[in-house]
mmCIF file of all heavy atoms in Angstrom:
data_model
loop_
_atom_site.group_PDB
_atom_site.id
_atom_site.type_symbol
_atom_site.label_atom_id
_atom_site.label_comp_id
_atom_site.label_asym_id
_atom_site.label_seq_id
_atom_site.Cartn_x
_atom_site.Cartn_y
_atom_site.Cartn_z
ATOM 1 N N PHE A 15 -224.614 -128.109 53.338
ATOM 2 C CA PHE A 15 -223.801 -127.595 54.440
ATOM 3 C C PHE A 15 -222.639 -128.550 54.655
ATOM 4 O O PHE A 15 -222.842 -129.746 54.868
ATOM 5 C CB PHE A 15 -224.633 -127.475 55.716
ATOM 6 C CG PHE A 15 -223.838 -127.058 56.916
ATOM 7 C CD1 PHE A 15 -223.408 -125.753 57.058
ATOM 8 C CD2 PHE A 15 -223.512 -127.976 57.913
ATOM 9 C CE1 PHE A 15 -222.662 -125.363 58.166
ATOM 10 C CE2 PHE A 15 -222.775 -127.604 59.019
ATOM 11 C CZ PHE A 15 -222.347 -126.287 59.145
ATOM 12 N N THR A 16 -221.411 -128.021 54.600
ATOM 13 C CA THR A 16 -220.197 -128.835 54.704
ATOM 14 C C THR A 16 -219.308 -128.308 55.820
ATOM 15 O O THR A 16 -219.093 -127.096 55.937
ATOM 16 C CB THR A 16 -219.413 -128.828 53.384
ATOM 17 O OG1 THR A 16 -220.252 -129.270 52.322
ATOM 18 C CG2 THR A 16 -218.195 -129.737 53.467
ATOM 19 N N THR A 17 -218.793 -129.236 56.622
ATOM 20 C CA THR A 17 -217.821 -128.903 57.664
ATOM 21 C C THR A 17 -216.510 -129.626 57.366
ATOM 22 O O THR A 17 -216.504 -130.832 57.115
ATOM 23 C CB THR A 17 -218.332 -129.324 59.046
ATOM 24 O OG1 THR A 17 -219.541 -128.627 59.332
ATOM 25 C CG2 THR A 17 -217.315 -128.990 60.123
ATOM 26 N N LEU A 18 -215.405 -128.872 57.399
ATOM 27 C CA LEU A 18 -214.081 -129.413 57.109
ATOM 28 C C LEU A 18 -213.173 -129.231 58.321
ATOM 29 O O LEU A 18 -213.071 -128.130 58.868
ATOM 30 C CB LEU A 18 -213.462 -128.701 55.899
ATOM 31 C CG LEU A 18 -214.259 -128.742 54.593
ATOM 32 C CD1 LEU A 18 -213.656 -127.785 53.579
ATOM 33 C CD2 LEU A 18 -214.302 -130.149 54.028
ATOM 34 N N ASP A 19 -212.515 -130.310 58.712
ATOM 35 C CA ASP A 19 -211.507 -130.255 59.771
ATOM 36 C C ASP A 19 -210.179 -130.759 59.212
ATOM 37 O O ASP A 19 -210.140 -131.733 58.459
ATOM 38 C CB ASP A 19 -211.934 -131.113 60.964
ATOM 39 C CG ASP A 19 -213.139 -130.545 61.681
ATOM 40 O OD1 ASP A 19 -213.022 -129.462 62.271
ATOM 41 O OD2 ASP A 19 -214.214 -131.192 61.634
ATOM 42 N N ASN A 20 -209.098 -130.104 59.600
ATOM 43 C CA ASN A 20 -207.756 -130.412 59.078
ATOM 44 C C ASN A 20 -207.726 -130.275 57.556
ATOM 45 O O ASN A 20 -207.143 -131.098 56.851
ATOM 46 C CB ASN A 20 -207.320 -131.822 59.481
ATOM 47 C CG ASN A 20 -207.248 -132.006 60.974
ATOM 48 O OD1 ASN A 20 -206.834 -131.094 61.693
ATOM 49 N ND2 ASN A 20 -207.672 -133.163 61.457
ATOM 50 N N TYR A 21 -208.362 -129.225 57.074
ATOM 51 C CA TYR A 21 -208.418 -128.988 55.631
ATOM 52 C C TYR A 21 -207.020 -128.686 55.096
ATOM 53 O O TYR A 21 -206.290 -127.848 55.646
ATOM 54 C CB TYR A 21 -209.364 -127.828 55.336
ATOM 55 C CG TYR A 21 -209.445 -127.450 53.883
ATOM 56 C CD1 TYR A 21 -209.942 -128.337 52.936
ATOM 57 C CD2 TYR A 21 -209.014 -126.194 53.449
ATOM 58 C CE1 TYR A 21 -210.012 -127.989 51.600
ATOM 59 C CE2 TYR A 21 -209.092 -125.826 52.125
ATOM 60 C CZ TYR A 21 -209.590 -126.728 51.200
ATOM 61 O OH TYR A 21 -209.658 -126.381 49.874
ATOM 62 N N SER A 22 -206.631 -129.363 54.024
ATOM 63 C CA SER A 22 -205.293 -129.200 53.439
ATOM 64 C C SER A 22 -205.358 -128.278 52.233
ATOM 65 O O SER A 22 -206.300 -128.359 51.426
ATOM 66 C CB SER A 22 -204.733 -130.566 53.030
ATOM 67 O OG SER A 22 -204.673 -131.441 54.142
ATOM 68 N N TYR A 23 -204.346 -127.440 52.085
ATOM 69 C CA TYR A 23 -204.336 -126.466 50.989
ATOM 70 C C TYR A 23 -202.895 -126.053 50.707
ATOM 71 O O TYR A 23 -201.991 -126.259 51.524
ATOM 72 C CB TYR A 23 -205.174 -125.233 51.350
ATOM 73 C CG TYR A 23 -204.675 -124.478 52.563
ATOM 74 C CD1 TYR A 23 -203.835 -123.371 52.433
ATOM 75 C CD2 TYR A 23 -205.034 -124.885 53.846
ATOM 76 C CE1 TYR A 23 -203.366 -122.686 53.542
ATOM 77 C CE2 TYR A 23 -204.561 -124.210 54.969
ATOM 78 C CZ TYR A 23 -203.742 -123.106 54.809
ATOM 79 O OH TYR A 23 -203.270 -122.430 55.905
ATOM 80 N N PHE A 24 -202.687 -125.480 49.539
ATOM 81 C CA PHE A 24 -201.396 -124.899 49.179
ATOM 82 C C PHE A 24 -201.478 -123.382 49.329
ATOM 83 O O PHE A 24 -202.507 -122.770 49.017
ATOM 84 C CB PHE A 24 -201.022 -125.251 47.738
ATOM 85 C CG PHE A 24 -200.607 -126.685 47.549
ATOM 86 C CD1 PHE A 24 -201.507 -127.628 47.056
ATOM 87 C CD2 PHE A 24 -199.325 -127.092 47.849
ATOM 88 C CE1 PHE A 24 -201.131 -128.945 46.877
ATOM 89 C CE2 PHE A 24 -198.939 -128.416 47.679
ATOM 90 C CZ PHE A 24 -199.845 -129.335 47.195
ATOM 91 N N ALA A 25 -200.379 -122.793 49.799
ATOM 92 C CA ALA A 25 -200.329 -121.344 49.975
ATOM 93 C C ALA A 25 -198.882 -120.888 49.958
ATOM 94 O O ALA A 25 -197.940 -121.701 49.983
ATOM 95 C CB ALA A 25 -201.007 -120.927 51.276
ATOM 96 N N VAL A 26 -198.698 -119.575 49.913
ATOM 97 C CA VAL A 26 -197.368 -118.990 49.950
ATOM 98 C C VAL A 26 -196.695 -119.350 51.270
ATOM 99 O O VAL A 26 -197.311 -119.298 52.344
ATOM 100 C CB VAL A 26 -197.444 -117.462 49.793
ATOM 101 C CG1 VAL A 26 -196.069 -116.829 49.965
ATOM 102 C CG2 VAL A 26 -198.032 -117.101 48.441
ATOM 103 N N ASP A 27 -195.443 -119.763 51.198
ATOM 104 C CA ASP A 27 -194.686 -120.134 52.385
ATOM 105 C C ASP A 27 -194.202 -118.870 53.096
ATOM 106 O O ASP A 27 -193.330 -118.158 52.591
ATOM 107 C CB ASP A 27 -193.494 -121.000 51.981
ATOM 108 C CG ASP A 27 -192.730 -121.528 53.183
ATOM 109 O OD1 ASP A 27 -193.129 -121.211 54.317
ATOM 110 O OD2 ASP A 27 -191.740 -122.249 52.984
ATOM 111 N N PRO A 28 -194.736 -118.546 54.258
ATOM 112 C CA PRO A 28 -194.327 -117.305 54.944
ATOM 113 C C PRO A 28 -192.912 -117.361 55.500
ATOM 114 O O PRO A 28 -192.346 -116.325 55.861
ATOM 115 C CB PRO A 28 -195.360 -117.177 56.073
ATOM 116 C CG PRO A 28 -195.787 -118.583 56.349
ATOM 117 C CD PRO A 28 -195.744 -119.295 55.028
ATOM 118 N N SER A 29 -192.326 -118.546 55.580
ATOM 119 C CA SER A 29 -190.981 -118.664 56.147
ATOM 120 C C SER A 29 -189.894 -118.297 55.152
ATOM 121 O O SER A 29 -188.737 -118.126 55.531
ATOM 122 C CB SER A 29 -190.745 -120.095 56.641
ATOM 123 O OG SER A 29 -190.731 -121.014 55.553
ATOM 124 N N VAL A 30 -190.258 -118.171 53.859
ATOM 125 C CA VAL A 30 -189.273 -117.834 52.835
ATOM 126 C C VAL A 30 -189.181 -116.321 52.707
ATOM 127 O O VAL A 30 -190.192 -115.628 52.601
ATOM 128 C CB VAL A 30 -189.650 -118.463 51.475
ATOM 129 C CG1 VAL A 30 -188.666 -118.047 50.398
ATOM 130 C CG2 VAL A 30 -189.690 -119.981 51.603
ATOM 131 N N THR A 31 -187.988 -115.802 52.724
ATOM 132 C CA THR A 31 -187.768 -114.364 52.599
ATOM 133 C C THR A 31 -188.059 -113.917 51.176
ATOM 134 O O THR A 31 -187.529 -114.470 50.215
ATOM 135 C CB THR A 31 -186.323 -113.991 52.969
ATOM 136 O OG1 THR A 31 -186.068 -114.434 54.304
ATOM 137 C CG2 THR A 31 -186.118 -112.489 52.866
ATOM 138 N N ILE A 32 -188.911 -112.902 51.029
ATOM 139 C CA ILE A 32 -189.279 -112.381 49.713
ATOM 140 C C ILE A 32 -188.360 -111.213 49.378
ATOM 141 O O ILE A 32 -188.263 -110.242 50.131
ATOM 142 C CB ILE A 32 -190.753 -111.936 49.697
ATOM 143 C CG1 ILE A 32 -191.660 -113.083 50.162
ATOM 144 C CG2 ILE A 32 -191.151 -111.461 48.320
ATOM 145 C CD1 ILE A 32 -191.539 -114.338 49.340
ATOM 146 N N VAL A 33 -187.709 -111.319 48.234
ATOM 147 C CA VAL A 33 -186.777 -110.275 47.828
ATOM 148 C C VAL A 33 -187.516 -109.060 47.314
ATOM 149 O O VAL A 33 -187.192 -107.926 47.627
ATOM 150 C CB VAL A 33 -185.814 -110.817 46.748
ATOM 151 C CG1 VAL A 33 -184.873 -109.720 46.282
ATOM 152 C CG2 VAL A 33 -185.023 -111.991 47.306
ATOM 153 N N ASP A 34 -188.563 -109.264 46.500
ATOM 154 C CA ASP A 34 -189.346 -108.163 45.967
ATOM 155 C C ASP A 34 -190.793 -108.619 45.818
ATOM 156 O O ASP A 34 -191.108 -109.792 45.892
ATOM 157 C CB ASP A 34 -188.786 -107.685 44.622
ATOM 158 C CG ASP A 34 -188.692 -108.818 43.611
ATOM 159 O OD1 ASP A 34 -189.751 -109.293 43.154
ATOM 160 O OD2 ASP A 34 -187.555 -109.235 43.288
ATOM 161 N N ASP A 35 -191.677 -107.668 45.612
ATOM 162 C CA ASP A 35 -193.105 -107.967 45.561
ATOM 163 C C ASP A 35 -193.465 -108.883 44.404
ATOM 164 O O ASP A 35 -194.444 -109.605 44.462
ATOM 165 C CB ASP A 35 -193.911 -106.668 45.453
ATOM 166 C CG ASP A 35 -193.820 -105.851 46.736
ATOM 167 O OD1 ASP A 35 -193.494 -106.457 47.769
ATOM 168 O OD2 ASP A 35 -194.069 -104.626 46.691
ATOM 169 N N GLU A 36 -192.704 -108.830 43.311
ATOM 170 C CA GLU A 36 -193.039 -109.634 42.152
ATOM 171 C C GLU A 36 -192.807 -111.119 42.393
ATOM 172 O O GLU A 36 -193.262 -111.949 41.632
ATOM 173 C CB GLU A 36 -192.213 -109.175 40.944
ATOM 174 C CG GLU A 36 -192.555 -107.756 40.483
ATOM 175 C CD GLU A 36 -191.729 -107.356 39.275
ATOM 176 O OE1 GLU A 36 -190.876 -108.167 38.859
ATOM 177 O OE2 GLU A 36 -191.942 -106.258 38.743
ATOM 178 N N SER A 37 -192.112 -111.481 43.444
ATOM 179 C CA SER A 37 -191.785 -112.882 43.694
ATOM 180 C C SER A 37 -192.627 -113.514 44.801
ATOM 181 O O SER A 37 -192.415 -114.650 45.157
ATOM 182 C CB SER A 37 -190.298 -113.015 44.068
ATOM 183 O OG SER A 37 -189.475 -112.534 43.048
ATOM 184 N N GLU A 38 -193.625 -112.744 45.325
ATOM 185 C CA GLU A 38 -194.292 -113.238 46.515
ATOM 186 C C GLU A 38 -195.167 -114.457 46.260
ATOM 187 O O GLU A 38 -195.579 -115.124 47.209
ATOM 188 C CB GLU A 38 -195.118 -112.128 47.152
ATOM 189 C CG GLU A 38 -196.285 -111.657 46.293
ATOM 190 C CD GLU A 38 -197.129 -110.640 47.035
ATOM 191 O OE1 GLU A 38 -196.988 -110.562 48.262
ATOM 192 O OE2 GLU A 38 -197.913 -109.946 46.390
ATOM 193 N N ASN A 39 -195.478 -114.786 45.045
ATOM 194 C CA ASN A 39 -196.337 -115.939 44.790
ATOM 195 C C ASN A 39 -195.558 -117.131 44.247
ATOM 196 O O ASN A 39 -196.131 -118.002 43.608
ATOM 197 C CB ASN A 39 -197.447 -115.561 43.806
ATOM 198 C CG ASN A 39 -196.897 -115.171 42.443
ATOM 199 O OD1 ASN A 39 -195.726 -114.872 42.319
ATOM 200 N ND2 ASN A 39 -197.754 -115.163 41.434
ATOM 201 N N GLN A 40 -194.277 -117.195 44.494
ATOM 202 C CA GLN A 40 -193.476 -118.248 43.881
ATOM 203 C C GLN A 40 -193.160 -119.412 44.820
ATOM 204 O O GLN A 40 -192.884 -120.501 44.359
ATOM 205 C CB GLN A 40 -192.149 -117.676 43.355
ATOM 206 C CG GLN A 40 -192.255 -116.360 42.603
ATOM 207 C CD GLN A 40 -193.380 -116.333 41.607
ATOM 208 O OE1 GLN A 40 -193.649 -117.346 40.970
ATOM 209 N NE2 GLN A 40 -194.040 -115.211 41.479
ATOM 210 N N TYR A 41 -193.158 -119.214 46.121
ATOM 211 C CA TYR A 41 -192.711 -120.242 47.050
ATOM 212 C C TYR A 41 -193.929 -120.841 47.755
ATOM 213 O O TYR A 41 -194.431 -120.298 48.736
ATOM 214 C CB TYR A 41 -191.716 -119.654 48.049
ATOM 215 C CG TYR A 41 -190.611 -118.873 47.357
ATOM 216 C CD1 TYR A 41 -190.456 -117.513 47.589
ATOM 217 C CD2 TYR A 41 -189.769 -119.504 46.448
ATOM 218 C CE1 TYR A 41 -189.456 -116.798 46.943
ATOM 219 C CE2 TYR A 41 -188.774 -118.796 45.798
ATOM 220 C CZ TYR A 41 -188.622 -117.445 46.043
ATOM 221 O OH TYR A 41 -187.646 -116.741 45.391
ATOM 222 N N ILE A 42 -194.375 -121.952 47.253
ATOM 223 C CA ILE A 42 -195.647 -122.543 47.672
ATOM 224 C C ILE A 42 -195.386 -123.832 48.437
ATOM 225 O O ILE A 42 -194.531 -124.636 48.049
ATOM 226 C CB ILE A 42 -196.543 -122.831 46.446
ATOM 227 C CG1 ILE A 42 -196.605 -121.613 45.526
ATOM 228 C CG2 ILE A 42 -197.931 -123.262 46.882
ATOM 229 C CD1 ILE A 42 -197.104 -120.361 46.191
ATOM 230 N N LYS A 43 -196.130 -124.021 49.517
ATOM 231 C CA LYS A 43 -196.036 -125.247 50.305
ATOM 232 C C LYS A 43 -197.424 -125.665 50.787
ATOM 233 O O LYS A 43 -198.338 -124.842 50.846
ATOM 234 C CB LYS A 43 -195.103 -125.052 51.505
ATOM 235 C CG LYS A 43 -193.627 -125.093 51.143
ATOM 236 C CD LYS A 43 -192.759 -125.264 52.383
ATOM 237 C CE LYS A 43 -191.302 -125.490 52.007
ATOM 238 N NZ LYS A 43 -190.444 -125.696 53.186
#
């Protein structure tokens, strides 16, 4: 059993405007 607080991860940056669906996985932060 593991508990994580302030877990860090990389994900798509929602603040970047996506031009088309094919580019949605390119801007990672």
Side-chain angles (χ1 to χ4, degrees):
F15 175 74
T16 304
T17 299
L18 303 169
D19 292 294
N20 299 322
Y21 177 64
S22 302
Y23 61 95
F24 287 99
V26 175
D27 185 0
S29 66
V30 177
T31 302
I32 306 302
V33 178
D34 56 70
D35 292 339
E36 294 181 357
S37 301
E38 66 175 343
N39 63 342
Q40 316 315 323
Y41 310 117
I42 312 303
K43 282 195 172 182

